[in-house]
Every structure is written in structure tokens, then in C-alpha cells.
Amino acid sequence: MKIIASNFKTNHTRKSASQFIKQVDEFIDKSNIKNDVLIFPSSTSLDCFDIAQNIFIGTQNAYPVSDGSYTGEIGTIHLDEFGIKTILIGHSERRHIIKEPNELIIKKYDFFKARDYKIVYCIGEPLEVKNSGTEAIIEYLFSQLEGIDLSYENLIIAYEPVWAIGTGVVATIDDINEIHSILKQKISAPILYGGSVKVDNIESILKLECVDGVLVGSGSWNVEDFIEMIKIGAKEK
Ligand code: PGA
């Protein structure tokens, strides 16, 4: 059963996010789809949603505290208010644009792991590493996993090559197959692929046995497209 995840990033308002979630829920309900579906709206769109058990609403970010003086951040009291127990950690936009340091990423991982959150932990190599070949890519990816407890039962890894995120450049099926297969030898957690996944390329990606699902940004923001992706995901084992 493939996992289908949507990362809204800085898109959708509170109103449109709630309409989106409602539509996805209605579809899951009527089609009796059992695959896990994860949706990461903006913090301002988090809420208590009356949704199917296999839909998980997650936060794109949170500071590793319950509450306190961390201007602009949210803590677990804000997540608890809505029963949110799913979080995205280590996304490349936070690593590269916001310059979130690895130490903080590891701290977040430990903090949310200790609180039983479902953690989608993102890793991915930049273009210059990709151009140095498979060995360099694997070495880079494992360096991003250092300090992370890979045996955590609520861990999901998302492999998202930085050069493929939001660029329209998707990794080739052979590239994805090669990297996922190597990761799978050492990691028992499900591994999602992310980076320019769209309705028209998702099927061939999900057909790979070593791909447990996808984390989708721009290709998922239209609800009809996301529902189509869920449908395709439900057909794969
Ligand atoms: P993209 O983003 O699908 O827009 O490339 C993927 C992601 O950042 O998770």
C-alpha cells in the first residue's frame, strides 16, 4: 500500500485547505481507500478535522518545545490543540533556504520521536553531489541520517533530490530505483520519493517496488490532481 503525501508549502489559505481536506476525505470515504494519505497544510490552516483514520494531517514545521519564547515558531501545545501527531522534518527548503542547521534538525527528530509523532524525515542531495556519482550521493544521504534513530517505528523517510524539487526535473526511474534500492538495504522504514511528482509521472514511480509512496508539492495542490494520485496509489501493492 503506497503512501501519498501532499506538502502545501506556503500555499492554500485556511479556507481552501479545509475545503481540500474535506474533498479528499469524501473521496476516501466513498471509494473505501485504505492507503495512508498525509497532508501538510500551513500552520495557520491546522485545525481539528473530522476525517477518515487513514488521513493524517501534519505540520510542516514546529520548534522542539511545548511553549515558550520562540517568536514565529509553534510548539506542541499548538499541535495538541488540534490533535496533530505528524510532522515533516528536514525538508530541503528548510535546510537550504531557511538554513536550518543539522543540529536543530536532529534535536527536532529526538523531541518529536520522544512524543510518538509520525515523522516524515527528508533527505536529498544537491546537484553537485548528484554529478559526482552514486557513491557520493549515498554517502551524502547517509550523512544526513547520522544521529537519527532509523529503527523508530513511526519514521517515514522521504528521498527528495534537491535538484528535482519544484524544478519540473524529475529523477529518472532508473535513478530512483538505484538510490531507493540502496537505501532499502539499510533502512526498514518506508521510503517515499519526492521531487516534481505529477499526475502523469506518478504511476511509473509507484510501480517501483522499492518506492513506498510519494511526497508531492506543487503537483498536489489542485485537489482533483491529488485525488487522482491517491487513486493511482491505491492500485499499487
Ligand atoms: P515538488 O516538491 O513536488 O513541488 O517538487 C516536493 C517537495 O518539496 O516535497
Side-chain angles (χ1 to χ4, degrees):
M1 295 246 275
K2 306 282 180 169
I3 299 166
I4 309 292
S6 171
N7 175 6
F8 282 9
K9 307 189 179 185
T10 318
N11 298 281
H12 275 298
T13 60
R14 187 169 176 76
K15 190 171 172 198
S16 69
S18 116
Q19 283 163 349
F20 183 108
I21 292 164
K22 188 162 176 263
Q23 244 175 288
V24 170
D25 180 57
E26 281 168 1
F27 166 72
I28 297 258
D29 203 35
K30 90 167 181 277
S31 51
N32 200 25
I33 280 176
K34 299 281 181 245
N35 300 45
D36 284 352
V37 171
L38 279 56
I39 301 174
F40 296 91
S42 69
S43 306
T44 60
S45 307
L46 296 178
D47 209 337
C48 289
F49 296 99
D50 182 16
I51 45 179
Q53 274 187 346
N54 54 324
I55 305 179
F56 298 86
I57 304 298
T59 184
Q60 294 174 24
N61 180 43
Y63 209 62
V65 291
S66 150
D67 57 300
S69 300
Y70 305 94
T71 302
E73 297 286 335
I74 59 169
T76 53
I77 59 161
H78 307 100
L79 301 171
D80 288 348
E81 188 177 13
F82 305 126
I84 306 284
K85 290 292 265 181
T86 303
I87 186 167
L88 202 58
I89 297 181
H91 190 276
S92 84
E93 284 152 14
R94 295 204 62 86
R95 289 180 192 267
H96 299 282
I97 302 175
I98 295 164
K99 309 273 184 245
E100 196 167 298
N102 214 41
E103 304 79 69
L104 177 58
I105 293 173
I106 292 172
K107 202 167 164 193
K108 287 184 180 183
Y109 185 85
D110 288 340
F111 180 89
F112 289 99
K113 178 192 149 206
R115 284 154 189 79
D116 294 327
Y117 276 65
K118 188 190 275 299
I119 299 176
V120 178
Y121 188 81
C122 306
I123 55 174
E125 81 287 356
L127 190 58
E128 64 274 17
V129 175
K130 179 200 164 32
N131 290 340
S132 306
T134 308
E135 217 172 289
I137 298 174
I138 295 298
E139 196 180 309
Y140 187 91
L141 298 178
F142 277 105
S143 76
Q144 291 184 315
L145 292 168
E146 258 166 46
I148 297 302
D149 174 11
L150 291 175
S151 65
Y152 178 46
E153 58 182 3
N154 283 327
L155 168 64
I156 297 172
I157 298 283
Y159 168 56
E160 303 199 295
V162 177
W163 47 271
I165 294 181
T167 55
V169 183
V170 67
T172 65
I173 291 299
D174 287 347
D175 281 344
I176 301 172
N177 197 20
E178 182 180 33
I179 302 299
H180 274 243
S181 305
I182 299 172
L183 292 175
K184 280 266 174 204
Q185 289 167 11
K186 297 230 168 93
I187 302 171
S188 55
I191 307 179
L192 314 182
Y193 170 77
S196 297
V197 176
K198 308 274 177 236
V199 172
D200 50 13
N201 62 20
I202 190 173
E203 192 163 7
S204 53
I205 297 169
L206 289 179
K207 282 224 178 300
L208 295 173
E209 213 178 299
C210 53
V211 170
D212 300 301
V214 285
L215 175 57
V216 194
S218 57
S220 67
W221 299 336
N222 172 301
V223 70
E224 279 81 24
D225 288 347
F226 189 54
I227 287 175
E228 192 55 35
M229 292 181 169
I230 297 170
K231 264 193 224 167
I232 296 170
K235 281 192 278 169
E236 303 300 329
K237 275 190 276 151

